[in-house]
Amino acid sequence: MDGDWEEVGRLLLPPPGANAIATPGIPPAVAFDTSQELLWTGNEQGRVSSFYSTELTRYTAFKAGDGEIQQLLLHDRGVIALCAGSVHMALRRGPPIWHIQYGRPYMTEQARDVIADGGTSEILVAGEQDQMFVIDVEKGIVIKQMPTNDYYTKMKRCRYICAATTTGSVNILDSVSFKKIKTWNAYTSRVIDMDAQHDFIVTCGISARMQQAYMSLQPEAFVNVFDLKNMISMAPIPFPAGGAFVRMHPRMSTTSVVASQHGQIQVVDLMNVNTNNIRQANLAPNEYLSTMEIAPSGEAILLGDTSGQVHLWGSPSRIRFAELSNPVEFADPEETHPALNWSVDTPLSSIGMPYYREQLLSAWPSHMIFEIGAPPQKIDAQTTSQLKVTEWGAWARKTRNVKRNQVENTRAAEKTSTSLQAPKFLSEKARESANDASADRRISD
Amino acid sequence: SLHANDTLYSELNREVENGRIARLLMKLGTINERPEYEGNPQWSEQDGRYVIKMFRDFLFHQVDAEGKPVIDMGHIISCLNKVDAGSQEKITLTARDDQNIFVVSYNEIKKQVNAAWAELQKPSMRR
């Protein structure tokens, strides 16, 4: 990788909620877009925000769920957010496509969920729970459910689905049947980061189970590598600063990027571990890295720290996110319209309709015909007796047991009030009902 | 008499759009903010109907830089016309708390309104 890499942008993520203060320490979910120059972040209150280009200007934002966003996946049609409690898919422009709320059958609310990015039509969702399920991305429904003995924390799809368990091993699953092909015991305690690409899985982890207090601070001083072609584990790459985050370079198939929690970044060739290329991210004292992500183009790296800042690294001249970028869809500039004044004479036709071909929204269904002119509702005696008259009108407590704004047939009420009529013969009644029916038909026609 | 005819035509021309705009407003009015929707997930921030709420604010609740209400009839009418015709033009809708920012086309808003309207007409909703 080139020597001119440096920090090109820095962004303080917006606070998680309207009234919330940023809670440092919780890593936000971040992802680079695969087809547009966008950066996606998800926070602990279920909000997803996107930022445009290397300037990181705010583009869209939406709410994907009520829990913490665990992972963001980019799809051709939109962005999929995995949340504690739900899976949400939205257009990049913001409007939702579908939303799956976990009921009991799918997932417990507390589960940390992860996902295998199929990129195509299906995604596999699993977590720290006994069930995995498959979602059809087009339809937005759960199509398959499977029991699992292992609880998963990370998942990545390459030629297989590589899933890191809570016990420090990595399960290699068949990407069609989701059956376990092999288990690789990478660490004795926990895998904290994993990436898989082409023929390799690389992991960072912790082995010492007893050092509970140091767990998150003391990752192992090497990166484990697994060769998927030959199904054997390779010699670990030494990383003295303690490997906390690791990513494979998307375009250099044997190169990986490793970072420590203190911000030391190293670019390593898996085939030739002695070539070193070290950078140091500028972190405020007492801040740690919480995430690292590499762009699909390989030309940008994102580092998130515990103070809620994201640092964008890359070569200033060539930085871009997506391999092949489509333009981002912005709002069209608003055309100027003539200023109208609110006078009685201003016709509502002053501004013309745009060109159109489909049925207008204002089209009123033809079967909806209403009778008008029914007498107004009577205020009943009990209410009238309690009326309190004030300057602006009169008010009383609601006494009658009807819904607010309930429609009542005032015509019928009128009729029954004058119903002391002479009894009718059967023949008369029959004639009357026939008349009624014909009258009804006339109205509905 | 020709002159009278012309006057009639120009009068008609002035008023011909009124019915259309009134019907459109009636539709939007009956759909928006029904108390039955309280707690209905379809109208929550995670569903498409939320766009209708945001559009209502965009239409009627414009403010200037100092936060004072801006009442611009031209804006309302031109937006109503565009949503009526289902224009492909895109606008940015922002929620009241600034936490949701959508870029949507008038055509997408129209589809949401139509869906909500169709649902309102279903017998199960009438009770």
Side-chain angles (χ1 to χ4, degrees), chain A residues 15-18 43 47-48 58-66 88 91 93-96 98-99 101 329-335 337-349 351-365 367-368 404, chain B residues 13-21 23-24 26-28 35 45-48 51 58 62 71-92 97-105 107-110 112-114 117 121 126:
Chain A
N43 72 12
R47 299 269 173 198
V48 176
R58 204 162 175 217
Y59 176 53
T60 53
F62 55 88
K63 191 160 180 184
D66 297 319
H88 184 85
L91 293 174
R93 290 184 281 115
W98 48 255
H99 183 83
Q101 194 77 35
E329 299 172 88
F330 286 106
D332 296 298
E334 206 178 331
E335 322 153 15
H337 50 76
L340 302 185
N341 59 334
W342 287 86
S343 78
V344 199
D345 300 330
T346 313
L348 297 182
S349 55
I351 294 172
M353 288 285 286
Y355 176 72
Y356 61 91
R357 271 193 288 193
E358 39 191 313
Q359 191 187 41
L360 292 179
L361 182 58
S362 59
W364 199 265
H367 66 271
M368 291 188 79
R404 201 170 69 97
Chain B
N13 201 25
R14 287 165 65 95
E15 307 304 330
V16 72
E17 302 280 302
N18 299 7
R20 192 176 55 75
I21 285 174
R23 282 197 304 272
L24 192 57
M26 275 190 253
K27 263 195 187 178
L28 290 173
E45 287 175 80
Q46 281 120 45
D47 196 86
V51 171
F58 174 81
Q62 279 193 311
I71 306 167
D72 178 357
M73 193 161 139
H75 168 76
I76 296 175
I77 292 179
S78 72
C79 290
L80 283 175
N81 282 347
K82 281 172 194 163
V83 78
D84 201 359
S87 147
Q88 294 294 342
E89 185 183 327
K90 291 193 197 73
I91 48 171
T92 306
D97 57 2
D98 268 347
Q99 297 276 320
N100 287 332
I101 306 168
F102 288 5
V103 178
V104 291
S105 69
N107 199 31
E108 284 164 328
I109 300 170
K110 179 180 172 181
Q112 288 295 340
V113 173
N114 265 331
W117 174 251
Q121 287 184 297
R126 264 190 215 157

Side-chain angles (χ1 to χ4, degrees), chain A residues 112 114-115 152-156 162-164 191-194:
Chain A
R112 257 189 88 88
V114 287
I115 203 163
Y152 294 117
T153 56
K154 299 260 180 237
M155 226 188 253
K156 209 88 195 189
C162 308
V191 176
I192 50 176
D193 203 11
M194 177 186 76

Side-chain angles (χ1 to χ4, degrees), chain A residues 232-255:
Chain A
I232 46 160
S233 73
M234 292 168 57
I237 306 164
F239 187 66
F245 306 100
V246 62
R247 286 289 175 271
M248 292 297 297
H249 193 285
R251 292 199 299 171
M252 294 187 252
S253 59
T254 63
T255 301

Side-chain angles (χ1 to χ4, degrees), chain A residues 248-266:
Chain A
M248 292 297 297
H249 193 285
R251 292 199 299 171
M252 294 187 252
S253 59
T254 63
T255 301
S256 69
V257 182
V258 192
S260 77
Q261 288 195 311
H262 301 277
Q264 194 189 102
I265 314 161
Q266 189 173 342

Side-chain angles (χ1 to χ4, degrees), chain A residues 368-433:
Chain A
M368 291 188 79
I369 294 169
F370 305 94
E371 248 183 293
I372 53 158
Q377 257 170 54
K378 292 239 161 59
I379 303 170
D380 64 331
Q382 207 189 339
T383 312
T384 349
S385 66
Q386 291 181 356
L387 267 188
K388 292 185 180 67
V389 180
T390 65
E391 263 175 53
W392 43 263
W395 64 275
R397 219 170 269 282
K398 186 181 162 200
T399 50
R400 291 197 311 147
N401 189 23
V402 289
K403 291 213 181 69
R404 201 170 69 97
N405 296 332
Q406 187 179 324
V407 176
E408 286 171 86
N409 189 349
T410 47
R411 280 199 183 84
E414 287 284 280
K415 250 185 219 161
T416 48
S417 66
T418 60
S419 68
L420 260 184
Q421 290 163 339
K424 284 172 185 158
F425 287 114
L426 276 177
S427 59
E428 273 183 320
K429 279 186 187 167
R431 204 181 308 141
E432 200 170 71
S433 62

